[in-house]
């Protein structure tokens, strides 16, 4: 039976939710878009009149496509050059999805997306569907073809794994507080001294970069406040070699990514780096720096669509 415009409209109305689910499951906006498009093709080929609850059917199809993708992604990431980090989403991106509850906001935070990589595909699916989208275990069981009791057990195990991977509880801060964190950090980083940076960090702070083998990024994380502070001091220190490497002197902006404070580095309208900060009550816990150009294309498109004023500083 041919698809009607009503069928297309129904899918499009649900597309933002599907994209938000897929992003949390895959940690990649581009892969999430592909999974949603494949779901549309399945919808196009289905006997829609026989589907009782289209939203449930679409979620089931999408989730299982993502589970298959996760299995193959694990193999690819074993050969990934350097550290693998998720694709960051800047504030205003609809793929961030719902942010009404603390659980929803945490589920899309950069730190949690990194931790979700430790979970099995089924654990990740149950965690995302329950914590981020509040699906009841009965529906999750139907989506994954498991029992309701198994869904509950998997969620308990997944939450335990996520909690074990976190040194501290996430500290929620509003946009104004996020801006203050970034302002203080950038002032300290641009000072050329280590001490102001150390004071902003927790003793067990870490700094991780993902260049994907295309942009220089240290394969091993910097660990400890002093090591991280020295790295940041050097990162923001001007130099002709750095300018030559990136092709100019980029501007640095205070923004948010995945709901957390972030530094966005822009050169000639192109986002060349997004540094996501994980903040706790006692300081900055982690810097996760995405510089792989393949993972910044969506950020560049969103950035180009808005007016962000002048950069806080120009580096290199």
């Amino acid at each position: 039976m041919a698809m009607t415009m009503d069928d297309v409209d129904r899918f499009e109305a649900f597309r933002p939710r599907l994209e938000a689910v897929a992003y949390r499951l895959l940690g990649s906006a581009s892969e999430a878009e592909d999974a949603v498009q494949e779901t549309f093709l399945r919808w196009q080929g289905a006997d829609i009149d026989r589907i009782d609850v289209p939203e449930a059917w679409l979620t089931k199809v999408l989730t299982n496509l993502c589970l298959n993708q996760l299995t193959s992604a694990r193999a690819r990431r074993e050969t990934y050059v350097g550290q693998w980090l998720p694709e960051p989403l800047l504030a205003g991106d609809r793929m961030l999805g719902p942010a009404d509850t603390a659980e929803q906001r945490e589920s899309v935070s950069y730190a949690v997306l990194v931790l979700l990589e430790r979970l099995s595909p089924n654990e990740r699916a149950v965690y995302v569907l329950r914590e981020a989208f509040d699906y009841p275990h009965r529906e999750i069981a139907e989506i994954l073809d498991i029992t309701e009791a198994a869904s509950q057990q998997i969620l308990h195990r997944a939450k335990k794994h996520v909690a074990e991977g976190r040194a501290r509880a996430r500290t929620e801060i509003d946009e104004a507080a996020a801006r203050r964190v970034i302002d203080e950090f950038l002032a300290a980083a641009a000072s050329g001294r280590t001490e102001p940076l150390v004071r902003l960090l927790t003793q067990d702070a870490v700094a991780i970069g993902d260049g994907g083998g295309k942009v220089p990024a240290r394969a091993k994380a910097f660990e400890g406040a002093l090591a991280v502070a020295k790295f940041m001091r050097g990162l923001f220190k001007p130099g002709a070699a750095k300018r030559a490497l990136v092709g100019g002197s980029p501007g640095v902006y205070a923004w948010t990514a995945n709901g957390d404070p972030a530094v966005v580095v822009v050169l000639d309208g192109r986002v060349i780096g997004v540094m996501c900060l994980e903040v706790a009550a006692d300081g900055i816990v982690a810097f996760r720096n995405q510089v792989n150009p393949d993972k910044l294309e969506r950020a560049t498109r969103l950035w180009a669509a808005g007016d962000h004023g002048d950069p806080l500083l120009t580096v290199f």
Side-chain angles (χ1 to χ4, degrees):
M1 185 176 294
M3 177 174 283
T4 68
M5 284 305 301
D6 285 344
D7 297 330
V8 174
D9 289 344
R10 189 166 210 168
F11 182 90
E12 291 304 323
F14 201 57
R15 182 187 287 271
R17 186 177 181 89
L18 292 174
E19 288 181 344
V21 171
Y23 172 70
R24 285 167 169 81
L25 287 175
L26 299 173
S28 165
S30 58
E31 291 178 4
E33 288 177 330
D34 291 344
V36 172
Q37 191 57 31
E38 179 61 30
T39 302
F40 176 72
L41 295 177
R42 303 285 179 93
W43 173 249
Q44 196 173 33
D47 187 352
I48 295 174
D49 289 340
R50 300 185 64 181
I51 298 175
D52 294 330
V53 186
E55 289 77 7
W57 186 91
L58 290 169
T59 303
K60 182 180 178 73
V61 170
L62 174 79
T63 301
N64 282 284
L65 286 170
C66 290
L67 289 177
N68 292 337
Q69 182 75 5
L70 281 172
T71 301
S72 61
R74 286 194 166 197
R76 292 198 309 274
R77 285 168 196 169
E78 288 179 1
T79 59
Y80 191 82
V81 178
Q83 298 276 348
W84 185 94
L85 291 174
E87 183 175 344
L89 297 183
L90 301 182
D93 195 317
R94 76 175 189 180
M95 199 175 278
L96 287 168
D100 299 324
T101 67
E103 290 80 11
Q104 289 172 338
R105 292 188 292 274
E106 182 172 55
S107 71
V108 79
S109 71
Y110 213 59
V112 165
L113 287 176
V114 170
L115 291 174
L116 292 184
E117 289 294 309
R118 302 183 178 190
L119 305 184
S120 70
N122 263 18
E123 287 173 342
R124 187 163 184 163
V126 172
Y127 183 93
V128 166
L129 293 172
R130 180 62 184 162
E131 293 294 291
F133 298 94
D134 202 29
Y135 280 88
H137 284 288
R138 174 182 53 79
E139 292 185 23
I140 295 174
E142 292 173 359
I143 289 170
L144 297 178
D145 292 324
I146 58 178
T147 66
E148 192 170 341
S151 177
Q152 293 170 339
Q153 291 170 355
I154 291 171
L155 177 66
H156 176 75
R157 194 162 62 240
K159 291 175 73 172
K160 184 172 181 287
H161 291 328
V162 170
E164 288 172 347
R166 305 206 69 167
R168 292 168 177 76
R170 179 173 183 258
T171 299
E172 287 208 55
I173 57 178
D174 59 25
E175 188 173 331
R179 174 60 183 263
R180 288 194 297 272
V181 169
I182 297 297
D183 286 347
E184 289 181 7
F185 163 66
L186 290 178
S191 72
R193 296 185 296 122
T194 303
E195 294 79 7
L197 281 163
V198 170
R199 288 196 292 269
L200 295 177
L201 310 178
T202 61
Q203 286 302 306
D204 56 352
V206 297
I208 304 168
D210 177 353
K214 300 184 177 184
V215 174
R218 180 181 162 98
K220 186 178 179 181
F222 290 92
E223 299 181 352
L226 185 57
V228 171
K230 288 180 177 179
F231 166 66
M232 290 297 167
R233 182 192 65 191
L235 185 65
F236 283 85
K237 185 178 180 180
K242 293 178 185 177
R243 288 193 295 274
L245 180 64
V246 302
S249 297
V252 177
Y253 296 80
W255 208 247
T256 59
N258 294 75
D260 288 322
V263 173
V264 179
V265 185
V266 182
L267 179 65
D268 298 331
R270 180 170 53 93
V271 176
I272 62 170
V274 176
M275 182 184 292
C276 299
L277 279 64
E278 182 181 354
V279 181
D282 53 342
I284 301 172
V285 177
F287 298 89
R288 297 182 176 91
N289 192 19
Q290 183 56 261
V291 292
N292 183 343
D294 293 343
K295 298 182 183 182
L296 296 172
E297 293 178 357
R298 185 182 181 92
T300 293
R301 293 197 302 270
L302 186 67
W303 191 263
D307 181 10
H308 307 287
D310 295 327
L312 294 177
L313 58 92
T314 300
V315 293
F316 307 160

